[in-house]
Amino acid sequence: MNVRQLQYFYLAACYGSFTEAARVEGVTVQAVSKAIIDLEEELASPLFFREGRTLLLTPFGKNLVGPAREAVSSFDAFARAAKAYQQSDAEETRKGLRIALVSPPFAKHELVCSAFSQLMSHMIGVKTTIHLSVGADALADLRAGNIDAMATIGSFSDPRCATRVLGTVSVGVFMGKRHPLCRKRLVSFEDLKPYPVLCNDDIDAFNETILAACLKRGLASPQVHIETDAEVANFLEYQEGYVLGVYLKALDIKPLASMHKVDPADAPPVPICMVTLKGKESEKLDRLNSFVVNEFPLMKRMFNE
């Protein structure tokens, strides 16, 4: 068993296709197929049901998608750490703050990350760069020293980490232009109950996400597990599904889809947390901690406006 086999397996599981996995990795379909067959033989159990062009995970395969991703992420983090150390011309970047925002991709996320990077750089006096990352990748990068902190939407707990709450945000629901609730400005859990909500194991198993918090408060929508961007688009457009997230009208992508506020009487305020490694101290982290305590509420108001 090797990391390349696990990478091919993970990509094939996400895309539902050996062909797409091969395209992403820049190899032949035969190479992907052989690697997965070898992996199945080593594990003594099939990972996929193969029916013509249809590729579906077996129950055994579904159980191994998460561990495969974690293994690949840890390997990638190690390689990234080595490369970052060897690139001496990146010294200026290493002097700044590097923060991973733990979130699935969302509309205009590049704009949001850029805006927050510039505001934080100005407010704390340290060049700050923020990028989007999946939780397992961000934690691996934090432990490897590739980033200085990660920001989570929802609470996070790990004995190796120190977590500070920056503030709270309201819950919003993202839905397509044809959704039966699209004309309502404020929606309740009762309104949402008949419609499916997106769930992703890689995202929602990492920390207490907005979905997890709402489920605890009584949200009763059926959960649909989705892995790929294409599935998300189909889910919103044709299945009357919705996605929970931070309520920001700036995230509208009209006329395709829009953000609506979830009734605060139903949805709890969701904490935004800044997470750093315990025992790791530096001047820039001291400034970050000061920002967390004193400046974030002001920054949040500025961004909302």
Side-chain angles (χ1 to χ4, degrees):
M1 185 184 305
N2 58 58
V3 71
R4 187 169 295 278
Q5 289 174 317
L6 297 181
Q7 174 74 343
Y8 291 168
F9 162 62
Y10 176 72
L11 289 173
C14 288
Y15 288 104
S17 167
F18 288 168
T19 301
E20 284 300 303
R23 182 187 62 79
V24 171
E25 284 297 280
V27 299
T28 65
V29 176
Q30 291 77 8
V32 172
S33 179
K34 183 179 185 305
I36 292 178
I37 289 173
D38 290 344
L39 182 59
E40 289 175 323
E41 289 179 355
E42 186 172 347
L43 296 172
S45 185
L47 297 167
F48 295 98
F49 293 118
R50 299 165 175 84
E51 298 177 5
R53 295 186 177 182
T54 302
L55 192 68
L56 298 174
L57 285 164
T58 65
F60 180 69
K62 287 182 179 179
N63 194 52
L64 292 182
V65 172
R69 179 185 180 84
E70 292 176 7
V72 172
S73 296
S74 296
F75 183 89
D76 288 345
F78 180 85
R80 289 194 296 269
K83 183 177 180 180
Y85 184 82
Q86 292 168 349
Q87 291 177 333
S88 58
D89 59 345
E91 183 63 30
E92 188 61 31
T93 299
R94 288 196 292 271
K95 289 180 181 178
L97 269 170
R98 300 154 299 174
I99 300 174
L101 173 61
V102 177
S103 169
F106 55 88
K108 307 176 186 176
H109 68 262
E110 296 94 345
L111 176 63
V112 171
C113 287
S114 176
F116 272 108
S117 295
Q118 293 181 41
L119 281 171
M120 286 187 65
S121 296
H122 174 73
M123 286 182 166
I124 65 180
V126 175
K127 181 175 175 56
T128 303
T129 56
I130 301 174
H131 68 277
L132 214 61
S133 181
V134 177
D137 292 347
L139 184 57
D141 279 339
L142 183 65
R143 296 179 64 192
N146 297 342
I147 60 173
D148 302 294
M150 60 182 188
T152 63
I153 302 172
S155 59
F156 175 79
S157 178
D158 187 295
R160 299 162 293 187
C161 299
T163 301
R164 287 182 174 233
V165 177
L166 282 72
T168 61
V169 292
S170 299
V171 177
V173 55
F174 195 69
M175 61 182 64
K177 63 180 180 179
R178 300 176 182 174
H179 197 284
L181 300 177
C182 68
R183 296 187 180 278
K184 297 196 68 170
R185 293 184 177 181
L186 187 71
V187 295
S188 67
F189 281 0
E190 187 63 27
D191 294 330
L192 295 170
K193 185 177 179 179
Y195 304 104
V197 60
L198 183 148
C199 178
N200 183 296
D201 291 335
D202 289 335
I203 305 299
D204 294 298
F206 180 71
N207 67 309
E208 186 170 285
T209 58
I210 293 176
L211 174 61
C214 287
L215 290 173
K216 284 186 177 180
R217 283 285 289 264
L219 179 68
S221 294
Q223 299 173 55
V224 175
H225 293 258
I226 290 177
E227 299 289 341
T228 68
D229 290 344
E231 289 178 317
V232 173
N234 180 73
F235 178 69
L236 292 174
E237 183 73 11
Y238 300 109
Q239 300 181 40
E240 296 185 344
Y242 68 90
V243 182
L244 289 173
V246 175
Y247 177 67
L248 282 174
K249 288 299 291 180
L251 300 183
D252 279 350
I253 52 172
K254 291 180 178 178
L256 300 177
S258 57
M259 175 68 71
H260 304 258
K261 191 171 186 178
V262 178
D263 192 338
D266 291 336
V270 177
I272 303 294
C273 301
M274 191 67 72
V275 181
T276 56
L277 284 180
K278 287 181 178 178
K280 191 169 184 178
E281 299 176 354
S282 68
E283 181 183 352
K284 62 184 179 182
L285 287 179
D286 288 342
R287 293 193 182 192
L288 177 62
N289 287 332
S290 177
F291 160 80
V292 170
V293 173
N294 301 312
E295 304 293 346
F296 180 76
L298 172 61
M299 183 174 171
K300 177 183 171 185
R301 287 197 298 272
M302 290 172 60
F303 192 80
N304 281 335
E305 292 169 2

